[in-house]
Amino acid sequence: MKIAQEHVSAGCNRVVGALDWGDRLVAYAAHNLVCLYDAEAAKVVATMIGHTDRVNCVQWLPTAGVDAGISSVIASGAADNCIIIWLSHADKPNRPWTIAAKLQGHSGAVVALAHVLVGDTLLLFSSAEDTQVLVWECSLGPQQQGTDSAYNQWTLRQKLDTGNELQHCLAVAEIPGQEGWLLLAMGGVDCSIRLALAPPDGSFLAVCSLSGHADWVRSLAFTQPPDPPAATQQGHLLLASASQDKYLRVWRIQPQSAPQPAPQSAPQSTHQEPPSTSAPNSTSSNGNLANDIARYAPKPQFSTPQGQYTAFLEALLVGHEDWVHSVQWQSSLGQGPGQGLQAQPLCLLSTSMDRTMMLWRPDPLTGLWMSEESVGDAGANNLGYFTGCFSPQGTSILAHGFTGALHLWKRPEGHTGVGWEPGHALGGHYGAVVDMCWGVDGSCLLTASTDQTCRITAQIQGRWSELARPQVHGHDMSCLAYIPASSCYVSGAEEKVLRVFQAPQAFTQTLAMAHGDPPPRPQASTPHTSQIPALGAAVAALGLSNKAVYAEDMHDSNGGVASGMEGGNYTDGPDLAPNAAPAAVAGPPLEEHLAQSSLWPEVAKLYGHGAELFCVAASPSGDLLASACKAQTSSTAAIWLWDTTTWAALGSLTAHSLTVTQLQFSPDGRWLLSVSRDRTVAVYQRGTGSVPFTLQHRFKAHARIIWGVAWSPDSAFFATASRDGSARLWSCSKLTNNAKPSAIIALGQPVTAIAFEARRSSECTGSKPGSHQYTLALGLELGTVSVYTVSREDDGFLTSCDWESPADCSHCAPVRRICWHSADSECQDSCQNQACFATCADDHCIRIFKVIS
């Protein structure tokens, strides 16, 4: 069996430094993973598993001087106190990224990385919560070419103790004109920027600090400005700093006009003191007070053998209204009017929690720094950005925000100077994805997450993208189920209420356009709701319910939920603007639209459970709904049944003493299964009474918690998955209250998810008479997914493992759910069934796989 991964999505971690744009791809941190993202194709092309805790920072490293077979190098730091060096091989395109080295020296979470290449020596700097800054050294000399050992051999060169002050950010640069002399900047919780200087092949020594910020320093970036005509002004460095005090500062580090060479090669720290005067009120000869202040004020200084350097504040940039999280200088070479590269003027990109990114440039005449351009998202439902970066050519800028999504802006074609257009960028959940199902027209994947959202993923213009975000809730989501033959789905969260949502007109029109069809006309009411579908929905501030928005509300420009729509009157700014107008979109929606304009209206609430909801399932015909909540007593563990035409409770089923972990109806609708933390399975049969199902069998199935259950497509048997490391098959014809499994699949680690393909593969395999084959997928606690062939014969079951997910296609946390979706394709002469399945896990990832053969 051959299975290929079609799609991966995961939100970026909400930390500064979790995003970096290399020569071709974007690297970003997602849970414990490092993801590689193609911005042009809007697709995650690789995921790398190596860390055991949240990844906090990623950086691309240079490959100069090493073997051409190594195409890319990435460094990542995480909360597991470890730094990993990743390698990609150009001559082995099918080979996944490999771990070249693990750097272990910190005793706290790694929070920042910086690097510099000096000749053939690569220096990597790391800062961690243990308040230490470590300097790592790697030789990339010619003797290392032809092997991977260039990045395998790292030595700890130095430990910098910063006291008890955490250093949030690092930046390093080589002093212009002084080969091998390095200047390291460190910014942290003491609101100052510490400078450390190192001679060639020497150790770093603290020389001075830059004061001015009034809150934590979150980002630093060095650049060498274009040399001015005057030779006395050459050799300058600019250091940009971003702080939670809402301001940016640009510091200039320059040699003094009359350098005084130091007598020794070690760096020195000095402060210029004002000379003593006999008259306290005396002034300088020119009588200029500003010159006096500039002359007598102490300046941070340091010395090298070639001269003395002074650092001073060149500009205070005021424009952001909230914490400024990151700064980055544009590359000195960018894309010109043609296809070639040309020199670029100074440009600084800043990223803030006020939902804006600003581009700052100095005025060529006055030298004053000004904010020339600003991009961002408007609306009350959007929060700010953490890290922003330029593309290598400077024609695009990318940021990641509070919701885990990537935000992309591009220069329009033919406009090299001004103007940005938003572009589609892939998003994803930024919390554990706890449940999923296929629904709507069968092509949409609905997912629920602890990030308090439900999302819909579908194929748009040939690629998988998030199509809608029908629910943005105030509680962590726990379960969902789509009701067949309807336009509704039901979700449960860490509350005692089930909520029912109906697809609005804006969504059905968007879905139709995604499939290349004309938008459908508004449909009438359905058996599951007496109302005509709304245009969309909106949720009030601090509210939990999505209120329907109808077409006639669009004409209300000053009241109700529509007052923030186009033409609305809100004079207090975008933070107080009501919800945006729901509308259909052609093509992949932008994050701004998903966050506030793709909600589904809530049409019903189902009350009855005594604790937080845990699982829900819908019958194949869509007429019944079953739900269960967290429980520690048999009464609380009861399963409630609901009529989906009236949304009335039909009764409850009592069989378990602890939380029911999963419910599933049989494909023929005659049976209902429930599995529980109490290690038992309960089988209910449909009847004609007021409560549609009655308990038939209850038996202990495993020695540990049962996490999942799955019916075979012909309803002849079912399978259970447990923490005891096994999946067991149970034949319906042999069930008793002391039933024994018909077959056991031992996997050696807890099994957390299980699902059968919706079709029997024996229809195309030419199996012998009396034998039927099924495809079973299993998700494990360590994140791997296995696919088994189950052969049911008269004398029992035979199982064989056909596929196991490789490391680059596996999750790094427990798999929560597996859902099969069979494609509508006829069996070919080769008897290959085309199908796909989706998996979700605690690592924030959704993965979609296609069964090729």
Side-chain angles (χ1 to χ4, degrees):
M1 179 177 291
K2 185 178 180 181
I3 296 177
Q5 184 172 264
E6 288 254 307
H7 170 73
V8 185
S9 70
C12 189
N13 290 341
R14 294 186 289 181
V15 289
V16 179
L19 177 74
D20 194 24
W21 201 327
D23 291 337
R24 296 176 292 108
L25 300 175
V26 175
Y28 72 89
H31 192 254
N32 302 348
L33 298 167
V34 177
C35 298
L36 297 182
Y37 175 75
D38 187 339
E40 290 296 327
K43 181 178 181 180
V44 175
V45 296
T47 56
M48 292 118 73
I49 300 176
H51 289 288
T52 59
D53 209 334
R54 186 185 72 175
V55 179
N56 292 324
C57 45
V58 294
Q59 274 203 2
W60 293 88
L61 300 183
T63 57
V66 299
D67 182 54
I70 300 176
S71 61
S72 302
V73 185
I74 295 176
S76 60
D80 59 4
N81 311 344
C82 179
I83 302 167
I84 294 182
I85 308 299
W86 308 86
L87 294 183
S88 172
H89 301 264
D91 54 349
K92 300 176 182 178
N94 296 325
R95 179 178 177 180
W97 285 69
T98 58
I99 296 178
K102 284 190 176 184
L103 311 184
Q104 296 177 331
H106 286 289
S107 59
V110 181
V111 297
L113 295 173
H115 71 273
V116 64
L117 182 63
V118 182
D120 293 331
T121 301
L122 176 62
L123 296 181
L124 180 65
F125 303 79
S126 60
S127 176
E129 291 180 354
D130 58 9
T131 70
Q132 285 190 331
V133 175
L134 303 186
V135 184
W136 306 86
E137 182 178 1
C138 176
S139 176
L140 305 181
Q143 67 275 12
Q144 303 292 350
Q145 294 188 17
T147 67
D148 293 349
S149 60
Y151 291 95
N152 292 347
Q153 306 299 323
W154 290 83
T155 58
L156 180 57
R157 176 169 167 176
Q158 186 182 358
K159 288 186 177 182
L160 295 173
D161 191 358
T162 59
N164 295 323
E165 308 292 345
L166 169 65
Q167 302 304 302
H168 276 300
C169 49
L170 304 171
V172 63
E174 188 174 12
I175 299 178
Q178 302 201 34
E179 184 177 356
W181 282 82
L182 300 178
L183 186 62
L184 172 66
M186 301 170 283
V189 298
D190 58 355
C191 311
S192 66
I193 302 170
R194 307 183 186 198
L195 297 182
L197 186 65
D201 301 323
S203 299
F204 283 88
L205 177 66
V207 290
C208 59
S209 64
L210 308 178
S211 301
H213 285 295
D215 208 332
W216 292 357
V217 180
R218 301 307 305 270
S219 182
L220 296 168
F222 274 115
T223 191
Q224 183 177 354
D227 287 332
T232 58
Q233 298 181 9
Q234 295 181 2
H236 294 201
L237 279 176
L238 291 182
L239 173 64
S241 59
S243 170
Q244 292 182 179
D245 62 7
K246 308 178 186 179
Y247 302 134
L248 297 97
R249 291 173 180 260
V250 178
W251 311 84
R252 183 176 288 273
I253 301 170
Q254 65 180 18
Q256 292 188 353
S257 57
Q260 300 292 331
Q264 65 272 7
S265 61
Q268 296 181 348
S269 172
T270 62
H271 286 277
Q272 181 180 352
E273 300 293 341
S276 60
T277 59
S278 58
N281 296 326
S282 64
T283 61
S284 60
S285 59
N286 59 13
N288 190 316
L289 180 60
N291 289 340
D292 287 345
I293 294 175
R295 177 181 178 184
Y296 293 125
K299 297 182 179 64
Q301 297 179 350
F302 58 87
S303 299
T304 69
Q306 287 74 28
Q308 196 169 35
Y309 286 77
T310 302
F312 61 91
L313 179 65
E314 173 163 303
L316 174 65
L317 308 185
V318 181
H320 288 293
E321 299 177 354
D322 209 332
W323 294 353
V324 185
H325 272 154
S326 75
V327 288
Q328 188 186 60
W329 295 98
Q330 184 178 2
S331 174
S332 59
L333 293 178
Q335 185 172 350
Q339 297 297 324
L341 298 178
Q342 67 177 18
Q344 298 291 326
L346 281 177
C347 181
L348 180 65
L349 174 68
S350 62
T351 307
S352 171
M353 282 299 288
D354 65 2
R355 306 192 301 273
T356 64
M357 299 173 67
M358 291 186 176
L359 294 170
W360 306 82
R361 296 184 180 90
D363 184 81
L365 298 179
T366 64
L368 296 177
W369 286 79
M370 294 180 293
S371 172
E372 294 188 350
E373 297 176 285
S374 178
V375 299
D377 291 334
N381 294 335
N382 292 311
L383 295 173
Y385 306 131
F386 287 91
T387 311
C389 57
F390 284 102
S391 66
Q393 294 77 25
T395 57
S396 300
I397 52 178
L398 185 71
H400 69 96
F402 193 84
T403 60
L406 302 179
H407 302 257
L408 176 68
W409 288 269
K410 299 179 179 180
R411 288 285 191 197
E413 292 291 338
H415 295 75
T416 59
V418 295
W420 297 91
E421 291 182 349
H424 169 64
L426 191 66
H429 287 287
Y430 57 95
V433 188
V434 295
D435 203 357
M436 68 191 323
C437 65
W438 295 94
V440 190
D441 61 352
S443 65
C444 296
L445 183 65
L446 286 77
T447 54
S449 169
T450 57
D451 65 6
Q452 303 184 349
T453 66
C454 290
R455 309 189 185 206
I456 296 178
T457 303
Q459 280 193 310
I460 307 175
Q461 298 174 353
R463 61 188 182 188
W464 292 93
S465 303
E466 185 177 346
L467 187 65
R469 201 167 297 169
Q471 187 178 7
V472 180
H473 204 37
H475 296 286
D476 292 358
M477 307 304 301
S478 58
C479 56
L480 61 76
Y482 192 83
I483 302 173
S486 76
S487 58
C488 300
Y489 83 91
V490 180
S491 69
E494 289 186 340
E495 56 178 348
K496 303 176 184 179
V497 183
L498 284 165
R499 299 176 184 267
V500 184
F501 299 86
Q502 183 185 19
Q505 298 178 28
F507 172 79
T508 56
Q509 294 170 1
T510 299
L511 181 61
M513 288 188 286
H515 293 165
D517 301 325
R521 294 182 178 180
Q523 59 181 354
S525 59
T526 67
H528 305 279
T529 174
S530 60
Q531 300 176 351
I532 297 176
L535 178 63
V539 60
L542 302 180
L544 294 177
S545 299
N546 294 357
K547 304 297 183 182
V549 175
Y550 294 91
E552 53 267 24
D553 295 331
M554 300 289 289
H555 303 293
D556 178 12
S557 61
N558 293 306
V561 295
S563 56
M565 300 174 186
E566 185 177 356
N569 181 22
Y570 54 99
T571 59
D572 295 327
D575 286 339
L576 300 179
N579 296 277
V585 294
L590 301 178
E591 174 65 18
E592 185 177 5
H593 175 87
L594 292 170
Q596 56 191 2
S597 301
S598 62
L599 294 173
W600 287 23
E602 185 178 310
V603 295
K605 293 185 181 72
L606 309 183
Y607 298 92
H609 286 289
E612 296 90 346
L613 272 300
F614 197 83
C615 60
V616 64
S619 63
S621 60
D623 61 333
L624 292 177
L625 189 73
S627 61
C629 65
K630 293 182 179 179
Q632 291 184 339
T633 63
S634 57
S635 59
T636 312
I639 300 167
W640 282 65
L641 298 177
W642 311 86
D643 185 346
T644 60
T645 58
T646 62
W647 299 116
L650 299 177
S652 60
L653 304 173
T654 302
H656 299 284
S657 58
L658 294 176
T659 302
V660 175
T661 56
Q662 190 175 358
L663 296 161
Q664 191 171 67
F665 289 90
S666 62
D668 59 10
R670 295 177 55 239
W671 304 93
L672 171 64
L673 281 175
S674 63
V675 294
S676 168
R677 287 180 178 267
D678 63 10
R679 310 171 188 178
T680 63
V681 175
V683 183
Y684 311 87
Q685 186 175 18
R686 187 156 191 169
T688 58
S690 57
V691 180
F693 283 85
T694 57
L695 179 64
Q696 295 297 312
H697 305 287
R698 179 180 180 270
F699 54 92
K700 182 178 179 180
H702 289 270
R704 302 290 299 275
I705 292 174
I706 305 174
W707 285 123
V709 64
W711 279 101
S712 64
D714 54 7
S715 304
F717 66 101
F718 60 89
T720 55
S722 169
R723 181 181 284 176
D724 63 10
S726 68
R728 303 188 177 189
L729 306 179
W730 309 83
S731 177
C732 291
S733 61
K734 299 179 182 180
L735 290 181
T736 65
N737 289 336
N738 296 309
K740 302 297 180 182
S742 300
I744 299 177
I745 303 175
L747 292 109
Q749 60 175 293
V751 187
T752 54
I754 189 168
F756 277 101
E757 186 187 354
R759 300 177 300 172
R760 290 186 301 180
S761 59
S762 61
E763 298 172 0
C764 293
T765 57
S767 301
K768 64 181 181 179
S771 174
H772 300 281
Q773 289 189 346
Y774 310 82
T775 303
L776 176 66
L778 302 170
L780 307 182
E781 187 176 59
L782 296 182
T784 57
V785 178
S786 299
V787 177
Y788 278 73
T789 294
V790 177
S791 300
R792 181 170 63 91
E793 300 180 357
D794 295 337
D795 54 351
F797 292 89
L798 296 176
T799 61
S800 62
C801 182
D802 294 333
W803 180 81
E804 184 174 339
S805 60
D808 58 329
C809 295
S810 297
H811 294 278
C812 64
V815 180
R816 286 295 195 97
R817 197 73 75 220
I818 300 176
C819 293
W820 283 90
H821 174 258
S822 296
D824 296 330
S825 61
E826 298 180 357
C827 299
Q828 306 296 326
D829 295 337
S830 59
C831 298
Q832 293 180 349
N833 280 331
Q834 298 251 335
C836 69
F837 64 91
T839 63
C840 64
D842 286 347
D843 63 357
H844 312 175
C845 281
I846 300 169
R847 296 178 184 267
I848 299 177
F849 298 89
K850 183 177 181 181
V851 181
I852 300 176
S853 61

